[in-house]
Amino acid sequence: MSRIEQAKQTVREMMVRAKHWLQSLSFRTGVIVLLCCIPFYILSFAQMLLPISVTAKGVLWTVLFGLAKTCQYGGLTILGVEGFKRLKSKFKRQPE
């Protein structure tokens, strides 16, 4: 096995372990992580109003938007399909 194939295998194993660890967390943790993406999205665009250089704005946007996406996908991974259905049903209107 070449070094590149070994590296790919190692990365694959790390991703699988991370996914299993995230899925072992509770529903409540998933909701909290998912809600954390909202302030990061707001900050990623609100920082454009700051009187700083365009380069700094670009770096800030990249970091904050990346954090927002990380929280979003991490939260969805923690929730899983069943947790997402459960969360979605809580926000649906109950028939009167």
Side-chain angles (χ1 to χ4, degrees):
M1 192 181 302
S2 71
R3 283 186 172 186
I4 294 174
E5 290 173 355
Q6 286 176 337
K8 284 182 182 179
Q9 184 67 24
T10 303
V11 169
R12 213 174 286 127
E13 289 171 2
M14 286 174 38
M15 295 299 287
V16 168
R17 278 186 280 173
K19 181 181 174 189
H20 288 301
W21 175 72
L22 286 172
Q23 288 176 336
S24 71
L25 298 173
S26 71
F27 176 79
R28 183 177 178 188
T29 304
V31 171
I32 291 168
V33 171
L34 199 55
L35 289 175
C36 285
C37 75
I38 295 169
F40 286 126
Y41 277 124
I42 292 169
L43 288 172
S44 71
F45 291 103
Q47 58 82 26
M48 294 295 179
L49 301 173
L50 295 174
I52 54 178
S53 70
V54 175
T55 305
K57 287 179 182 183
V59 170
L60 275 173
W61 185 84
T62 303
V63 169
L64 292 169
F65 196 77
L67 285 169
K69 282 297 184 186
T70 302
C71 287
Q72 179 183 351
Y73 293 130
L76 289 174
T77 302
I78 293 168
L79 288 177
V81 175
E82 292 303 315
F84 183 71
K85 287 179 183 175
R86 182 175 156 192
L87 187 64
K88 190 176 174 182
S89 70
K90 287 193 184 268
F91 286 108
K92 275 190 176 177
R93 264 199 161 169
Q94 300 295 332
E96 295 178 22

